[in-house]
Amino acid sequence: MSQQALLLFLADTVLVIHVLFVAFVVLGLIAVYAGYLLNWGWVRNRTFRLTHLCAIGYVVVQAWLGIVCPLTRWEMALRVEAGAATYAGSFIQHWLNSLLYFTAPEWVFILIYTAFGSLVFASWLVVRPNKRPRQ
């Protein structure tokens, strides 16, 4: 495998991880509210809920501070190092990019992330996680 192919493979891997992170945040919130309505006990798991809250919290803080996501920077750096344009690449990159990235003013993303983060925080009040077991 050439160095360029390896770098593009790593960039695609980072992109897949990024999409999985976004899916966890979005689908996690849907699962919490669906689980509340359908009485799924696992959606009250404290570790899952804390991980979910921290994930969207990280995104909201990045947005408010104007920080570009480290996964995006890492992926683009790998593509540049491979000599590839950051908007072109493999099939995986093309389709996942079109699902994950879109153009809008920065304030739109701040608003979306903040609103979504507020919904995740509200889920702690509506669908309370299980209490920690005492040791």
Side-chain angles (χ1 to χ4, degrees), residues 54-97:
C54 288
I56 188 60
Y58 181 74
V59 171
V60 171
V61 168
Q62 280 184 143
W64 277 94
L65 296 177
I67 299 171
V68 175
C69 177
L71 291 173
T72 301
R73 287 196 321 251
W74 191 17
E75 176 201 348
M76 293 304 151
L78 286 165
R79 293 193 192 289
V80 168
E81 184 68 25
T86 57
Y87 56 87
S90 72
F91 176 80
I92 292 171
Q93 184 232 349
H94 174 75
W95 286 105
L96 292 181
N97 248 345

Side-chain angles (χ1 to χ4, degrees), residues 87-129:
Y87 56 87
S90 72
F91 176 80
I92 292 171
Q93 184 232 349
H94 174 75
W95 286 105
L96 292 181
N97 248 345
S98 65
L99 289 173
L100 190 60
Y101 303 116
F102 53 93
T103 305
E106 188 174 340
W107 68 266
V108 172
F109 293 100
I110 293 171
L111 180 66
I112 290 169
Y113 298 153
T114 302
F116 196 87
S118 298
L119 287 173
V120 171
F121 181 74
S123 76
W124 274 72
L125 304 174
V126 176
V127 186
R128 294 213 177 260

Side-chain angles (χ1 to χ4, degrees), residues 14-54:
V14 170
L15 180 60
V16 168
I17 291 167
H18 201 172
V19 169
L20 291 174
F21 178 86
V22 171
F24 170 72
V25 170
V26 173
L27 297 177
L29 181 62
I30 293 168
V32 167
Y33 285 115
Y36 173 71
L37 296 173
L38 300 170
N39 204 25
W40 297 339
W42 67 268
V43 298
R44 295 182 184 272
N45 178 282
R46 193 169 208 41
T47 303
F48 163 68
R49 297 294 296 283
L50 188 57
T51 303
H52 187 246
L53 183 63
C54 288

